[in-house]
Amino acid sequence: MNKKHHITILGSTGSIGTSTLDVLSRHPDRFAVYALTASSQVDLMLAQCAQFKPQVAVMAQELSGRLLADRIKAEGLPVQVRWGAEALDEVASAPPVDAVMAAIVGAAGLSPCLAAAKAGKRLLLANKEALVVGGDVFLSAVKQGGAVLLPIDSEHSAIFQSLPEDPATWQNRVQKIILTASGGPFRGRDPATLKDVTPEQACAHPNWVMGRKISVDSATMMNKALEVIEARYLFGMKPAQLEVVIHPQSVIHSMVQYQDNSVVAQLGTPDMRVPIAYGLSWPERMTSGASALDFHALAAMTFEAMDDHGHPERFPGLNLAWETLNGAPGSCALLNAANEISVEAFLNRHIRFDQIHAVNRATLDRITNPAPQNLEDLMDLDRRGREAAKSIVKALNI
C-alpha cells in the first residue's frame, strides 16, 4: 500500500466504531482518519478527535454539534465540526475518502451508505439495515457507483471468507449458507418466563460486547433474522438456501456448504476487530489486536437446532426473515422499522420482552403492498412502519 487510505467512520462512538479506531491505531502507516460521526456522545467524540485528528467531525443533532464545536475550539484542535443528515452524506462520499465504515445503528445509516455506494467507495458494511431496508435499491446504487461492498458483521465476514473468490461461481457451487447463532442469554430459558425479562438481562450477552439495541435483538433472535435478510442480498442466495444453527460457543462464525456437501467454515475468537481488520485490508490480511483461538483450551464446540429444547416459540421472530424475503417488496424494511420501535419501547419499559414480536408481527399485518422504488419510497415506508408500530405499542403499553 503506497499511500495512506483515508477512512470515514459512520458511528465512531459505538462498539464497532471504537473497535475500528483500535484497529486503525495499530496501523498508522497505512490509514488516516478523514471523518468521524456520532449521534450524541460529545465527550467521547472529543477524545477521539484529540487522538486521531480527523479533518471533519459530524454530530447527528445540532445541539450536540454546537457543543462539540465549542469544545474543539477550546482545545485548539484542527477539526471542522458539522451536524445533520446532509453532513453525514457528504463525509461518506467526499473525494478524499477511500473507505467508509458504516456502523450507524438502524435505518438512519441508510442515506450515508447510499451516498458512499454512489461515490464508489470501499464500503465496510456493519450497518445491516442498509441491506435489510435498502434491498435492491441499495444494491443498484453499489453497482452503479462501482463501490466495493465488504461485510463486517462477524457472520457475513465469515461467509465471505468461506466463499470462492469469484462471485460468478457462487450459485453453481454453493448448496447453502449456514449462519451460526449463539442463542443469546435466553437459549435454554422456559419461554413462559420471558415476559419477566428486564432490559438489563436482555443486554447481558454471554459472548459478545455490543450496544443495547443489538443485544436485545440477539436475545430475541431478531438480529439473526436481519442477518438472514442481509445474507440474501449480500450473496445472492435464495431464501431457501439460508439456514441458522445455534452454536453457543461462537467459535465458528458461519459456514458454507458446497454442492459436494463439504463445508467450509471460518473460526476465531468473538472479537469484532477480526472482521474489521479483514475489511480494511482485503484482499490482504493484517494484525487486528484480537487474541488467537486456543484449541488446547477449547473444551467443546456444540450445535443445536433452533427448537432443540422443544420450545420453537422461544424465538418466533426468526421466521419473519423468510416470511418477509418471500413477501411483497419492502416487507423487510417494514420489519426493521417495527423492530426498532418495539426494542426501544422495551428498553424504555413500555412493553414486555415477549411483546416485541407481537409489535413486529402486527406491523407487518397492518401495512400491505409497500413496493418501494427509491430512497424516498424507502424512507416513507420506514416512517409508516414506525407510526404503525408506535400505535401498536401504545395499545400494549404496560
Side-chain angles (χ1 to χ4, degrees):
M1 193 176 291
N2 297 322
K3 72 177 185 70
K4 285 188 178 183
H5 278 205
H6 288 77
I7 313 295
T8 284
I9 303 178
L10 302 170
S12 68
T13 59
S15 59
I16 296 295
T18 54
S19 293
T20 301
L21 288 171
D22 181 86
V23 173
L24 293 177
S25 71
R26 300 169 188 275
H27 302 277
D29 57 323
R30 298 184 63 167
F31 302 100
V33 176
Y34 174 80
L36 300 174
T37 85
S39 177
S40 57
Q41 295 192 60
V42 173
D43 289 344
L44 182 52
M45 175 62 94
L46 181 66
Q48 291 178 345
C49 287
Q51 180 178 355
F52 292 95
K53 307 292 191 303
Q55 294 184 39
V56 187
V58 179
M59 302 300 292
Q61 305 299 326
E62 180 177 352
L63 183 62
S64 297
R66 290 191 181 279
L67 180 57
L68 178 65
D70 290 342
R71 298 186 66 179
I72 288 284
K73 184 177 180 180
E75 295 286 338
L77 296 173
V79 180
Q80 179 189 3
V81 178
R82 302 188 60 199
W83 51 82
E86 185 177 335
L88 290 174
D89 290 354
E90 288 180 5
V91 296
S93 58
V97 174
D98 298 294
V100 175
M101 171 59 74
I104 295 176
V105 175
L110 177 57
S111 182
C113 281
L114 278 169
K118 291 174 182 176
K121 306 300 183 185
R122 173 181 289 212
L123 184 52
L124 311 179
L125 197 63
N127 172 302
K128 61 177 57 67
E129 289 82 7
L131 279 168
V132 172
V133 178
D136 290 325
V137 173
F138 179 70
L139 289 181
S140 177
V142 170
K143 184 177 181 179
Q144 290 175 8
V148 176
L149 185 62
L150 297 172
I152 300 301
D153 266 356
S154 60
E155 294 83 0
H156 300 97
S157 177
I159 294 163
F160 182 65
Q161 293 178 59
S162 302
L163 283 166
E165 289 188 10
D166 183 5
T169 68
W170 291 353
Q171 273 294 344
N172 291 332
R173 298 171 67 179
V174 174
Q175 185 180 119
K176 64 181 176 180
I177 285 173
I178 305 168
L179 292 97
T180 57
S182 71
F186 310 131
R187 176 174 59 91
R189 184 160 171 160
D190 182 352
T193 69
L194 292 178
K195 66 181 188 310
D196 302 319
V197 165
T198 66
E200 291 74 22
Q201 291 170 332
C203 290
H205 195 279
N207 298 344
W208 298 91
V209 177
M210 304 181 292
R212 281 162 60 82
K213 194 267 181 184
I214 195 172
S215 294
V216 174
D217 282 347
S218 180
T220 63
M221 205 67 81
M222 181 53 64
N223 190 46
K224 204 57 52 179
L226 298 178
E227 287 174 7
V228 168
I229 296 169
E230 187 180 7
R232 151 69 182 89
Y233 287 108
L234 273 172
F235 307 117
M237 299 293 158
K238 299 173 183 175
Q241 291 177 283
L242 303 170
E243 185 177 306
V244 175
V245 64
I246 290 181
H247 170 49
Q249 296 80 22
S250 296
V251 173
I252 293 178
H253 297 304
S254 276
M255 301 170 270
V256 175
Q257 182 170 316
Y258 286 86
Q259 295 292 355
D260 60 1
N261 284 330
S262 63
V263 178
V264 176
Q266 187 265 342
L267 288 70
T269 53
D271 191 323
M272 286 304 300
R273 291 178 295 180
V274 174
I276 289 169
Y278 185 64
L280 286 166
S281 62
W282 179 85
E284 305 171 34
R285 293 192 184 255
M286 65 184 189
T287 56
S288 65
S291 300
L293 193 61
D294 185 353
F295 285 95
H296 299 287
L298 190 63
M301 289 194 294
T302 61
F303 303 90
E304 305 167 8
M306 291 306 303
D307 59 350
D308 255 6
H309 294 279
H311 293 295
E313 71 273 23
R314 182 180 288 109
F315 302 119
L318 181 62
N319 288 330
L320 295 180
W322 290 272
E323 179 180 327
T324 53
L325 282 172
N326 290 314
S331 297
C332 298
L334 270 179
L335 174 60
N336 179 77
N339 187 62
E340 287 193 22
I341 295 301
S342 60
V343 171
E344 180 183 27
F346 166 68
L347 288 171
N348 291 330
R349 304 179 197 274
H350 294 154
I351 62 172
R352 300 192 311 264
F353 179 81
D354 63 329
Q355 291 177 319
I356 293 173
H357 174 67
V359 173
N360 297 344
R361 169 78 273 163
T363 302
L364 288 173
D365 292 339
R366 184 172 293 190
I367 301 177
T368 59
N369 194 29
Q373 302 295 320
N374 50 44
L375 177 60
E376 291 71 25
D377 290 347
L378 288 168
M379 291 297 93
D380 180 64
L381 181 59
D382 179 76
R383 177 189 58 76
R384 289 164 55 205
R386 289 169 188 273
E387 288 177 353
K390 287 176 181 177
S391 173
I392 296 162
V393 165
K394 188 175 181 180
L396 290 172
N397 217 321
I398 57 176

